[in-house]
Structure formats: structure tokens, C-alpha cells
Amino acid sequence: MSSFPWLTVLGAVPLVGSAVVALLPKGLAGRAREIALGFALVTLGVAIAAATQFQTSGGSGQFQLVEKHSWIPEFGVSYALGVDGIALVLILMSVVLVPVCLLAAWNDVPETGRRQQGYFALMLVLEMFIIGVFSSTDVFLFYVFFEAMLVPVYFLIGSFGGEQRHYAAVKFLLYSLVGGLVMLVAVIALYLYGPGGSEGFLIERLTGLQIDPTAERLMFLGFFFAFAVKAPMWPVHTWLPDAATEAKPATAVLLVGILDKVGTFGMIRFCLQLFPDASRWATPVIIVLAVISVIYGALLAIGQTDMMRLIAYTSVSHFGFMVLGIFAMTTVGGYGSTLYMVNHGFTTAALFIIAGMLVQRRGSKFIPDYTGWQRITPVIAGVFLLAGMSTLALPGLNSFVSEFLVLVGTFERYKAAAIIATLGIVLAALYILLWYMRTMTGPKPEQYAGTKDMSHRERWVVAPLVIVMLGLGVYPKPVLDVIRPAVNTTLQHVGVTDPPPSIGTTAEGSTK
Amino acid sequence: MHTLITLASSEPAATSAATGVTSYAWLLLAFPLFGAALLLFGGRVLDKAGPMIAVLLSWAACVVGVLIAISMMGADPSDRSHTLHLFSWVPAGTFDVNASLLLDPLSITFVLLVTFVGSLIHVYSLGYMEGDSDKRRFFAYLNLFVAAMLTVVLSDNYLMLYAGWEGVGLASYLLIGFWYHKPAYASAGNKAFFANRVGDVGMSIAIMLMFVEFGRTDFAGVNAAASQASEGILTAIGLMLLLGACAKSAQFPLQSWLGDAMAGPTPVSALIHAATMVTAGVYLVVRSHVLFDLAPTAQLVVVIVGAVTLLYGAVVGCAKDDLKKALAASTMSQIGYMMLAAGLGPIGYAFAIFHLLTHGFFKAGMFLGAGSVMHAMDDQVNMRRFGGLATLMKITWVTFGLGWLAIMGVPPFAGFWSKDKIIEAAFVGEGWRPWVFGLAALIGAGITAFYMSRLFFMTFHGKRRWTDDQHPHEAPLSMTVPMIILAVGSAGLGLILGPTGIITSWLEPVVGSAEGGHEPVLSVPVLTVLTLLLVAAGIALAWWRYLRESVPVVAPVGSLATRAARRDLFQDDINEGLFMRPGIHLTRSLVFADNKGIDGGVGGLAAFVGGLSARARRVQNGFVRSYALTMLGGVVVILGALWVVQ
């Protein structure tokens, strides 16, 4: 393995990009968007190059592409980066989605100038933090990125969002800060319980500690609370619909599609790995909360009349699935959850962006304002339907594989939970198809007959999403191969093994 | 009741890797899938050529199917089962599922049915959809359907079957709501999808159970492990599969979507909602016969579902004045017969598939005939507005007539050989069952004769009850030729495959055969005579009511029973009362509670601090401050905690 600092470079490109975009001289201000997109594409290129260095057979340790430098040795903080398969696929998902979002946000701030530059610079900064948060292998460094991410999102919502943007931005910030604060306590406590020293925050040093059960549980709860807020689980989900509906669609994609994944990612990386006993202790409650999220989010989505809020609630339901798969603590559930994180990023991006295209044309997020739009915007309708089918996990499309794996993995241990969650597939059909029916079918809306269908730019926005939704549905193997070692390692950390099938390993004639 | 002998004989034959022409079976999926993708993504440039491309690709798949069938016929019966590995689909640790195809007599039978009838209907659609501006989309969906349906029947595992299963559901949804500008049609599509999703819950749970119990989801693995499983588990799997089958095949209690599905263009009704997709449930049960053979309780439920549905559909069919909805009720009823046969075990499997085949021909033929009538009558579907069309639409009349004779089971037409076998099989057994199920099947035959004759007479005979300015005419060649071919099949297919024993011996390597000692409680000649007498009575009654007497243009109020049957025995009222309205109330109250309750409760603090921070924000750098303040607060709390702990 080369010693080239892939991850640092990967994070540096968007950071430099954001500085360049923000500080463009007047003469080049008109090119701010192109320059921002260019940097995002370079980031994508670097990420692909980095991914080629990744060995799917699993490297020597848990992490690959590692870098480590002492940062604040007095407090045991290191600048340590590295990825396992799970982090890598999430980073790849992010660096694909960011240019898509930039292109989707092309006309969000149409007039050139500082404001437009700021908007695009913020998104690039956010990309840097995203890469940082997924690749940190030092708990404190992770925490820094975890909290720092809030800043650009706060401004993206609060300065560029809709009418209620201030309320939504503050609500988002407060929820996140409360979660982050609780986590900070746990982070510091963890250091004290760990080996300490100048590298005392490294994940590898904090794995497999023997901690007093009560302290372990409290620390687990500290981390879990922060991640549950971020992943929006019931009942701490209520910030999400407001944030999603007030944010621009591109921001909503970055927020729901990528940032919220830090919650589920954190549960795997920190809750399960650092606090295995406490994780097993908390599992029953978390499974219940996850199942509630699945059903509750879906029911709420059915009842929405604002499309952006509807998408937000579908995500509450989908994050419920991800958490379910994580805490089922089976290999299959682990595959399912991780794949779900990736799929959900693309599918939700498609939904938000399509809804954004409609809102931009009709000037309303209110579903009853639409009818029969398939007749005037057939291409938008087609992509909408595809994204909708992916959301409801139609087999052949990406989400099906992940959702089914989560259900199977859960069923191995918690039959009742899996069966209840399976009912979510009926509800998913309801919220997607009723929404589609209300907006796209019915008589042609003559007063909007001149509305333009998808433009060339918009086709480029959705093309990667369409490719991924179809591609990962038919051939998810590449992603599954990349995450295989990480999924297995996680279960080893937790110290559980899959329940064997009733028949095949047991003696013949077994009547369970 | 199953004996050891029947068990042994129903073990599937060994399977080997595909070679020769069989190894090109992937083309069966690739041709129509390519067509669908090309037409959907190709854009307007393909508006003209697209439909023809779709037709050719469908025929191409048919040719591949025929070649494979021929090579299979040439092989020894013990060497007719092949798998074709395509690629690794979901390699997720212990849950490892391949995309691979199973080619055996059962699947190839379906391939022939789907591609042949499907291609004929593609051709028919060229004429039927000629004036429609969305023709390209229509043919893309048709090709998509063929690809998905072939996935259902060709998969060698339950997960991939499930993918095709939902694929056909998607195609069905898209085509039911094809004329989406009519809100009722769009709702009909949704209704079908929702009902099928309920069935999908069953499919999902069945597959999960298989994986957890057997560690496998492929047919071979599941079948091999099944004999070691407890009956309780097998019953659970069987019932869950049946739930999926009920939704897809419009069987009681998930039948309500099929009538509304007639909103789709008539070729769609013929292909998807009569000949192929709706029979997928029967395929599923027969394909899973090893499981069902070991779970008599599940089998009993299959038989009950079949018996109830065959009567339900028949009763509803008697009351409908809408030509297509009457045919839809008949489809439900006929699939009830197949389901009943499939639940009877080895004595019924082959006849379930046989009836499925013949039904695929005669019902598709009659739907195409109905389309031809609608074509001629400006899309009128009310049979009270038809009458006397026989002389003006001779080809439609004759082809429809052959379908009519076939479905009633008039010898020597197809239904006589397939349906009567089911009736005989239903009379086999001990105790109360043969009497109950046999009589249900027998009475169903009589009712079938009545409602089909009613339909036939009201449409083609009697006085002309047309609305003004209608000038019925025969359909163009592209429509009549498929009708003629299907009619030939309706007439002859039963005779060719039934009494010769071809169909039973062809399917024997897959489903086994009934080994001796299965005599019906009434002797076969007696049953045949009884059936024919009932059929004759049904025809006579229809003749009396709808030909001898004049048919009023406006339906009479009718008895309580008639009104109930017209309302599909209150299926929609029940669903609405039990599920829809409570569901709406639930979501509404939850939306209210989420906005007020949870947000208010959990977010109480947030709102409070939010107010503070909103004030703080008025100071230019309020955000930074509150952030710093929070950080500071955090540090204080931590230090305090540490002080307490140490």
C-alpha cells in the first residue's frame, strides 16, 4: 500500500475549492458555479483513484489508506485518517452526490456575486467535513468534524432556505447541538477510561476495552443519543421535516442523503465497536424504536401534503430500517444496513431533486396544487416514478436488495420486529403511489401546458442517480464486496455470531 | 392425505447445467428487456418504429423459447431440468443469491404460453392502439411485462422469482393506469399495486422463513431441506406463499383489484389480467409443490381459497353488465379452479397447469374479441347496449364463440379436457372434502355456462340495442389474425394435450404424477354426464332469460342477491370500512400529533432555547456565540462530571 495521503488530499480538494470559489476576483465571479463543479469533479476523481488502492480482501488492519500524525498529544488527540469498506462506500456515495447537488443547485442563486459564491463555497466546505467525518479514526477528530458539519448546513438552511428558514435552521442546530453535547461528555469520558497517553483517542486503542458496565452503558447512550438525533429516529426526528422543507432541494439532499448517514455510520463504528456489551444490552429497546420509526415515518409520510416533508418522513422510515439492520447484529443485517445507507442516499437525492424541479416550475410544495403533470412533463414524471419505485423498494431497483437484507437479517433474530417492519412495504406503496397519483395523473393542467420538461442540465443531474438506482438493483455485488470485511469485523467486535439455519447444520429429523 | 408413493414420485428430477441451445435462455429475458429500455429511454424518435421493434423482440423471445422446448423434448425425461447461472446477484455472506434460470418442463411450458400469447397480443395491439399518441410507452410496458413474467417463471430461486413477481406487478400497475388522465383509471392501478403489496408481505415472510430455516432460497435447496422441516414451519411458509399467490391471482380475499384493473387497454386485460400474470399464483403453488405436499393444512387452505373464489367469481360474473368486468369475474373464477386443483396435490398439479394453458388461450381470445367489439362500438362496454353483432362481425363472433364453448367445457373443446379433470380430481378423497369441493367445482361449471352464455347472447345475438350513430365493423387483420390463432388453440389445444396424456407426462418430471388408487367418490362417467347436464342447464337458462326474452337497455333493479353481486359482493365496502377509513383516521391523527405532541414535547426545550437564540440571532454573530456558549456549557458539565466520578 502506498503511503500517499489519499484521504487528506481528498479532503483538501474541496476545501481549496471552497476558498477559491469564495475569493474569486470580480472578473471570474461569473464562473463561480463552473469552478465549484470542477473542484467537486476533481474530488470525485481523487476518490475513485483512492478507491482503487483499497483492497476488498481486507488489509492488514481494520483500516486502509491510513494516515496518522500527532495533533494535540497533551490530550491524546491525533490527526488519524483511514477507511474501512463501510466508510469508503459512504465517501464514494458522497463525492458522487455533491457534484449532482451542485448541478441541481445551479439556479438556486441565479445572480452572480458574493452570495452565489458563498452558497457554492459552503457546499464544498461541507463536502470536506463529510469526507473528514467518515475517514476519521480518532474519536476526537471525528467529534470535531461531526460538530463542524453543522456550521455550513446551518448557513445553507438559514441563509438560502425558504420562508421559515430561520426557525428550521435553529431547530436543526439545537437538536444537533444537544446531541453533540451529550456525545462530547461521552467522548471525554471514553478517553479517561481508555489507555490514555498521546494517542489515547485512536479508535484502535479504544476498541476492546474492559469498562465498568454502568460507565460503558452511559457512554454508549451518550454516543447513541447523538447518532439517533442525526439519523432521525423516532421520537427525536421532528427537526428533519422542517429542515428538509425549508432547505433548498440540493441542501436537503446533502443533509438527509449524506449527513444523516453519519448517525447510522456512527452507530456501527462507535456504538457497536467501542461498547459491544452495552450495545447488546440496549438492543431490545433500540429494535423497538427502529420498528416504530419504520411504521411511524411511513404513516406520517402518507398523511403529508407538503412534498418535501413527505420525503423527510419517508427517510425517518428508512433510517428505521437501517438502525434495525445494524442492531439485529447479523451479517446479513449488516450488509443490508450498509447497502441501505448508500442506496438511500441516491434514492432520496432523486426524490428531493425531482420534487425540486416540480416546485421550481409550479411554485408550490403543496401536493394538491398539482394534477396530471405527466402529460406536460413526461420525463420528470418518468424519473419521479423510477425514484418512487426505488423508494418503495421495488425488486430490480437498488433499495430492494438492501431493504430485503435488513428484513432477513432482522428476521434471523427478531421475528416479530421483522414481520412488523415488513408491513412497512405496504405503507411505502401508499405514500409513493398516492403522491404520484395526486401530482402526475388526472386531466392535463391546461394553465401550465407550456411548462418545460426536463432541461439538459437537469438530465445531467438525474442521469447518475438513474444509473445507480438501476445498476445497484441488478448488480449490488461491487458494494457488497467492498463492505464484506468491515461487516464481518463489526460483528467480531460485538462478539456475536449468526444464528445457524434450523436445518442443514442440525441433525436430520430436527423438529424445531 | 398423501401416501408415501405420491411423495416419492413428486421428488423433482435431478438438475444439470444448461448446454446447447438451452444455454441461450438468457436471451428470453434480454430481448424484451432490451425492447422496454430502448423504447422508454429512446425518446420520441422511436415513436414510429418503436411498436414494431417491440413486436419483433417479443417474437424473438418466442423463437428462443420454441427452440429450447424442442431441444428439451428431444432429451430423456430424466434429463429435462437445467439451470443456467447468469451472475451473482446478492452475495451477502450467508445470504447468497444468484441470478440463475431454471429450465424444466414446467418453466418452458410457461415460456411458450407467455411468449406465444404475448407476441400475438403484441401484434393485436398494433391494430388496437393504432390511434393512441402514447403507443411507444404502451409497447415499452408490454415488453417490460414479458421480461418480468419470464423472470417469474424462469428463476431458480424464490428471491429472483419475487423480483419478477413485482416486475409484473409494476407492468400491470403501469398498464392499468395507462390512460392516467382519467382519475378512476389511475386509482385502479394503485388499487392493484396496493393489493399486491399485501401479498408481497406474504412473499417476503415466506422467503425469510426459508432462509432462516433452510439457509437457502433456491428451489433445489429448499426442496431438499423441506423433508426435514417441521410441519408447522412448512405450513407457515405455504400460507405465506399463498398470501402472495392470492394477491397476484386475485383470489379471495385479495380479489378486489381485478375488476377495476379492466381500466387498462383491452390487450392488457387479455395478456396480463387473463392469460398470464394472474395465473402466476398458480405457478407459485405448483412450483412449491414439495413444500405444499408436506403441509396438508396449507394445501387445504389452498383448496378452500380456490373453491371460494371459483364460486365468488362465478356469482359476480352473472350480474355484471360491463363486458370486460364480466370476463374479469370469469377469470377470477377460472383461476379459482386452477388454485383448487393445485391444492389437491399430485392428482391436481398437472391439471392446474393444463387448465391454466387452455384458459390462457380461450380467455385471451375472448378478451381480444371483447376488444374487437369495443373497437367496433366506440369503446362501449355495456352489454345491454350490444346485441346482434354476430352478423356484422363474423370473425369476432366465431372466434369468441369457440372461446365460449371452450370455457364451458363443451366437448371436444379445450375446457372439457382441462376443467372436467379438475372437477373429477376435486371429487377424490375421503370424508366431507370431496363432496364439498367436488360440488363447488361442479356447481361452478353450471354457473359458468350461465354467465358466459348470458355474455355471449347479450353481445352477439338478440335485438340490436346500440346507441345511435354506431356502425359496427370487423376489426383489421392485425387484430383478427391473433384472434383466429387463439380460437384455434381454444378449440384444439385440449384435445391435443389432454386425452393423449401429453401434458401429464410432460410435467411429470417436475410435479410427479398421481399413482393409482385415486377414484372419485362418484364415477367418472357419472361426473361427466352431470357436468354436461349442468352446463346445458346453464346455457338453457341464459337462452331463456337473455335471448328469448328481450334485454332491457337499463338494468332492472334486481333482487338483493343481484344487487350484491353487482357490487362484487361488497368487497370494496368491506375493504373501505375495515382498512381505508380507519387508516385515513390513523394517519390524520398521527400527523396532528406529530406536529403538536411529539414536536411540542420533545421539542419543548428546543422551542424555549429557540426563542432565546432567535433573539440572540438579532445580534449579528448570535450563532457563533450560542455555539461557543454551548461548547462552554459542555465543558463545564464534563469537568463537573469528572470531578464527581473521581
Side-chain angles (χ1 to χ4, degrees):
Chain A
M1 200 182 303
S2 73
S3 58
F4 186 77
W6 282 107
L7 297 171
T8 300
V9 173
L10 187 60
V13 175
L15 186 65
V16 172
S18 74
V20 170
V21 170
L23 303 173
L24 276 180
K26 275 246 155 29
L28 280 170
R31 290 266 161 256
R33 299 181 292 194
E34 285 84 353
I35 293 170
L37 183 63
F39 273 98
L41 290 173
V42 171
T43 313
L44 173 61
V46 174
I48 291 169
T52 60
Q53 304 297 309
F54 187 87
Q55 316 206 329
T56 52
S57 55
S60 48
Q62 182 185 358
F63 301 115
Q64 301 187 35
L65 308 178
V66 290
E67 298 168 39
K68 191 174 75 184
H69 303 285
S70 188
W71 183 22
I72 319 175
E74 296 79 6
F75 295 126
V77 180
S78 317
Y79 174 79
L81 302 179
V83 288
D84 60 3
I86 299 175
L88 181 70
V89 292
L90 288 174
I91 289 175
L92 286 173
M93 171 196 83
S94 309
V95 296
V96 173
L97 282 179
V98 168
V100 166
C101 286
L102 291 177
L103 202 55
W106 209 249
N107 296 329
D108 283 357
V109 186
E111 60 288 350
T112 54
R114 285 280 165 235
R115 196 172 145 77
Q116 189 191 54
Q117 287 163 253
Y119 184 59
F120 284 86
L122 278 174
M123 290 210 243
L124 286 176
V125 173
L126 184 58
E127 181 173 28
M128 186 274 282
F129 287 142
I130 289 164
I131 292 164
V133 83
F134 285 129
S135 54
S136 302
T137 55
D138 179 282
V139 177
F140 196 86
L141 186 65
F142 171 81
Y143 177 77
V144 170
F145 282 124
F146 186 80
E147 292 289 55
M149 281 188 325
L150 304 179
V151 181
V153 177
Y154 173 83
F155 284 113
L156 281 171
I157 299 174
S159 304
F160 298 91
E163 280 172 20
Q164 299 278 314
R165 58 182 180 271
H166 293 303
Y167 169 74
V170 169
K171 193 170 176 182
F172 158 75
L173 191 68
L174 282 174
Y175 267 84
S176 303
L177 280 180
V178 170
L181 186 65
V182 176
M183 188 168 104
L184 179 61
V185 178
V187 166
I188 293 173
L190 181 62
Y191 177 72
L192 296 174
Y193 277 99
S198 61
E199 293 184 342
F201 269 119
L202 287 184
I203 287 175
E204 59 203 55
R205 299 219 166 187
L206 296 169
T207 305
L209 296 178
Q210 297 296 322
I211 317 177
D212 165 60
T214 314
E216 189 192 344
R217 286 171 190 180
L218 285 174
M219 287 189 281
F220 168 85
L221 289 177
F223 277 89
F224 184 79
F225 180 71
F227 296 143
V229 170
K230 184 114 319 191
M233 281 188 79
W234 185 87
V236 286
H237 63 277
T238 55
W239 63 270
L240 183 73
D242 288 316
T245 193
E246 293 306 325
K248 290 279 184 209
T251 310
V253 173
L254 294 173
L255 177 64
V256 184
I258 306 179
L259 248 67
D260 288 356
K261 300 292 157 44
V262 179
T264 41
F265 169 77
M267 288 178 198
I268 298 175
R269 173 65 66 76
F270 298 96
C271 291
L272 293 192
Q273 179 164 351
L274 303 185
F275 315 110
D277 295 327
S279 297
R280 289 200 301 273
W281 161 77
T283 294
V285 176
I286 294 172
I287 294 284
V288 170
L289 289 178
V291 171
I292 293 177
S293 292
V294 168
I295 301 297
Y296 187 89
L299 286 173
L300 265 289
I302 295 171
Q304 297 305 312
T305 49
D306 173 317
M307 2 186 145
M308 297 299 178
R309 292 183 77 90
L310 192 158
I311 303 172
Y313 279 108
T314 69
S315 287
V316 172
S317 181
H318 290 161
F319 276 102
F321 275 110
M322 291 174 224
V323 175
L324 195 60
I326 292 170
F327 280 88
M329 295 188 196
T330 53
T331 321
V332 179
Y335 278 110
S337 284
T338 309
L339 190 59
Y340 212 132
M341 289 187 224
V342 175
N343 287 333
H344 173 265
F346 291 104
T347 302
T348 302
L351 276 188
F352 270 124
I353 287 170
I354 286 291
M357 290 176 188
L358 289 171
V359 172
Q360 189 229 329
R361 283 165 173 75
R362 171 68 181 78
S364 167
K365 288 181 284 201
F366 190 53
I367 293 171
D369 282 346
Y370 295 80
T371 178
W373 274 56
Q374 185 174 352
R375 184 52 67 194
I376 47 176
T377 55
V379 178
I380 292 182
V383 180
F384 181 9
L385 191 64
L386 182 73
M389 287 298 159
S390 169
T391 309
L392 61 78
L394 189 89
L397 298 177
N398 56 346
S399 308
F400 168 72
V401 178
S402 42
E403 191 163 301
F404 200 79
L405 287 176
V406 164
L407 289 172
V408 171
T410 308
F411 194 82
E412 287 186 78
R413 262 186 234 285
Y414 307 101
K415 295 208 168 39
I419 289 171
I420 297 171
T422 307
L423 299 179
I425 69 173
V426 181
L427 301 178
L430 284 166
Y431 61 65
I432 288 298
L433 292 184
L434 288 175
W435 177 23
Y436 184 83
M437 182 177 84
R438 285 168 188 160
T439 50
M440 291 296 148
T441 70
K444 181 177 175 182
E446 295 296 346
Q447 68 272 38
Y448 301 104
T451 310
K452 279 232 158 53
D453 202 357
M454 215 178 263
S455 70
H456 280 295
R457 173 184 63 83
E458 288 169 325
R459 279 169 207 250
W460 279 103
V461 173
V462 297
L465 305 175
V466 169
I467 290 169
V468 171
M469 286 191 285
L470 294 171
L472 284 187
V474 178
Y475 203 60
K477 189 171 180 290
V479 178
L480 293 170
D481 285 344
V482 170
I483 63 179
R484 176 166 299 118
V487 167
N488 292 329
T489 312
T490 307
L491 284 193
Q492 283 162 19
H493 287 308
V494 192
V496 294
T497 48
D498 287 325
S502 306
I503 293 159
T505 52
T506 50
E508 76 276 9
S510 143
T511 48
K512 198 190 120 199
Chain B
M1 278 299 296
H2 51 72
T3 61
L4 280 174
I5 300 163
T6 52
L7 260 185
S9 66
S10 67
E11 284 292 323
T15 298
S16 62
T19 51
V21 64
T22 313
S23 59
Y24 290 96
W26 59 273
L27 286 171
L28 287 167
L29 303 184
F31 281 137
L33 203 58
F34 172 72
L38 186 72
L39 265 61
L40 283 178
F41 293 111
R44 302 235 167 89
V45 287
L46 286 171
D47 272 355
K48 258 215 152 74
M52 193 44 93
I53 295 174
V55 171
L56 291 177
L57 285 168
S58 179
W59 280 113
C62 186
V63 169
V64 175
V66 169
L67 291 176
I68 295 175
I70 290 171
S71 95
M72 193 177 282
M73 285 170 203
D76 186 76
S78 63
D79 185 31
R80 284 179 181 168
S81 180
H82 306 285
T83 53
L84 178 63
H85 176 83
L86 299 180
F87 56 89
S88 171
W89 182 26
V90 188
T94 47
F95 189 86
D96 189 355
V97 179
N98 291 319
S100 49
L101 308 182
L102 172 63
L103 294 130
D104 67 1
L106 179 60
S107 63
I108 213 69
T109 305
F110 270 86
V111 167
L112 293 178
L113 173 72
V114 171
T115 56
F116 184 67
V117 175
S119 299
L120 285 177
I121 290 174
H122 271 77
V123 173
Y124 178 92
S125 304
L126 285 177
Y128 193 83
M129 299 299 286
E130 194 171 11
D132 200 294
S133 58
D134 288 327
K135 233 180 349 179
R136 178 169 57 89
R137 191 164 54 91
F138 180 82
F139 279 89
Y141 293 165
L142 273 193
N143 262 8
L144 178 70
F145 169 76
V146 170
M149 189 67 207
L150 292 175
T151 310
V152 170
V153 299
L154 285 170
S155 320
D156 86 333
N157 64 76
Y158 283 96
L159 194 73
M160 190 175 157
L161 181 148
Y162 183 35
W165 191 261
E166 286 233 42
V168 292
L170 171 70
S172 158
Y173 159 80
L174 292 170
L175 285 162
I176 293 170
F178 182 74
W179 290 313
Y180 58 83
H181 54 270
K182 295 187 185 170
Y185 289 14
S187 310
N190 273 6
K191 189 173 176 183
F193 202 99
F194 298 154
N196 273 292
R197 271 267 144 159
V198 174
D200 290 344
V201 171
M203 290 289 283
S204 298
I205 294 176
I207 298 173
M208 290 192 267
L209 272 170
M210 288 173 196
F211 174 68
V212 170
E213 295 299 322
F214 311 143
R216 303 275 290 271
T217 60
D218 59 318
F219 299 143
V222 169
N223 289 347
S227 58
Q228 298 171 39
S230 73
E231 199 182 309
I233 292 293
L234 292 169
T235 306
I237 295 176
L239 291 179
M240 287 297 119
L241 289 175
L242 179 63
L243 182 63
C246 281
K248 192 62 68 193
S249 294
Q251 297 292 289
F252 184 83
L254 292 172
Q255 78 289 354
S256 70
W257 62 272
L258 185 62
D260 294 22
M262 295 300 118
T266 305
V268 171
S269 311
L271 177 61
I272 303 185
H273 304 118
T276 56
M277 183 192 81
V278 285
T279 59
V282 179
Y283 171 79
L284 182 70
V285 174
V286 174
R287 179 55 88 188
S288 312
H289 69 97
V290 176
L291 302 176
F292 280 98
D293 284 341
L294 294 166
T297 315
Q299 275 187 317
L300 177 62
V301 180
V302 174
V303 176
I304 293 173
V305 163
V308 169
T309 313
L310 85 85
L311 291 174
Y312 195 117
V315 169
V316 170
C318 294
K320 291 287 178 189
D321 289 332
D322 179 320
L323 172 62
K324 283 182 73 181
K325 290 201 172 173
L327 283 173
S330 157
T331 302
M332 223 175 102
S333 171
Q334 295 301 309
I335 297 171
Y337 273 103
M338 300 169 207
M339 211 45 113
L340 177 106
L344 292 172
I347 51 167
Y349 294 134
F351 298 116
I353 299 300
F354 186 25
H355 193 52
L356 194 158
L357 270 184
T358 57
H359 176 260
F361 276 80
F362 61 67
K363 187 53 72 60
M366 283 193 283
F367 262 113
L368 296 191
S372 167
V373 169
M374 287 164 63
H375 206 251
M377 302 290 282
D378 301 333
D379 285 335
Q380 175 68 269
V381 286
N382 186 354
M383 294 190 287
R384 294 186 183 277
R385 282 295 182 183
F386 294 159
L389 289 173
T391 47
L392 291 165
M393 307 177 68
K394 284 222 169 62
I395 299 177
T396 307
W397 175 59
V398 171
T399 54
F400 201 105
L402 287 169
W404 169 61
L405 294 170
I407 193 175
M408 290 191 299
V410 173
F413 302 107
F416 174 74
W417 305 104
S418 55
K419 194 168 68 180
D420 279 27
K421 280 292 180 188
I422 296 177
I423 297 172
E424 280 169 30
F427 270 106
V428 173
E430 288 164 13
W432 56 274
R433 288 188 199 176
W435 293 104
V436 171
F437 299 133
L439 283 175
L442 190 61
I443 293 167
I447 307 179
T448 305
F450 170 72
Y451 72 73
M452 285 311 300
S453 307
R454 169 182 181 267
L455 187 155
F456 188 70
F457 296 152
M458 277 173 91
T459 304
F460 291 101
H461 298 277
K463 277 214 195 80
R464 296 174 176 180
R465 303 177 299 275
W466 315 337
T467 45
D468 303 332
D469 69 12
Q470 282 186 322
H471 309 285
H473 50 90
E474 189 57 274
L477 221 54
S478 62
M479 289 166 67
T480 49
V481 169
M483 285 156 58
I484 292 168
I485 296 174
L486 288 172
V488 169
S490 313
L493 199 61
L495 190 62
I496 296 169
L497 298 178
T500 55
I502 290 176
I503 189 76
T504 37
S505 60
W506 173 248
L507 290 173
E508 193 185 332
V510 185
V511 300
S513 63
E515 305 267 322
H518 293 294
E519 284 305 314
V521 287
L522 294 172
S523 73
V524 174
V526 171
L527 281 176
T528 307
V529 170
L530 266 180
T531 311
L532 289 176
L533 280 177
L534 271 172
V535 168
I539 299 173
L541 185 63
W543 174 80
W544 185 273
R545 294 271 310 270
Y546 298 99
L547 209 52
R548 212 185 62 94
E549 294 176 11
S550 63
V551 178
V553 172
V554 177
V557 180
S559 66
L560 199 65
T562 311
R563 277 179 282 162
R566 276 187 199 141
R567 280 190 78 85
D568 303 286
L569 307 180
F570 306 112
Q571 62 189 13
D572 292 334
D573 308 76
I574 292 168
N575 286 346
E576 277 171 27
L578 276 183
F579 303 108
M580 206 176 99
R581 273 189 230 112
I584 290 173
H585 285 300
L586 178 67
T587 51
R588 280 199 190 139
S589 41
L590 279 178
V591 169
F592 181 79
D594 196 72
N595 288 341
K596 304 285 175 214
I598 293 195
D599 208 10
V602 176
L605 174 77
F608 173 68
V609 188
L612 285 183
S613 107
R615 236 160 285 150
R617 204 184 46 248
R618 289 191 199 114
V619 187
Q620 276 298 309
N621 56 354
F623 162 71
V624 180
R625 262 196 212 172
S626 69
Y627 189 73
L629 205 70
T630 323
M631 292 287 272
L632 185 69
V635 173
V636 171
V637 171
I638 294 149
L639 292 178
L642 292 180
W643 181 69
V644 172
V645 171
Q646 303 221 327

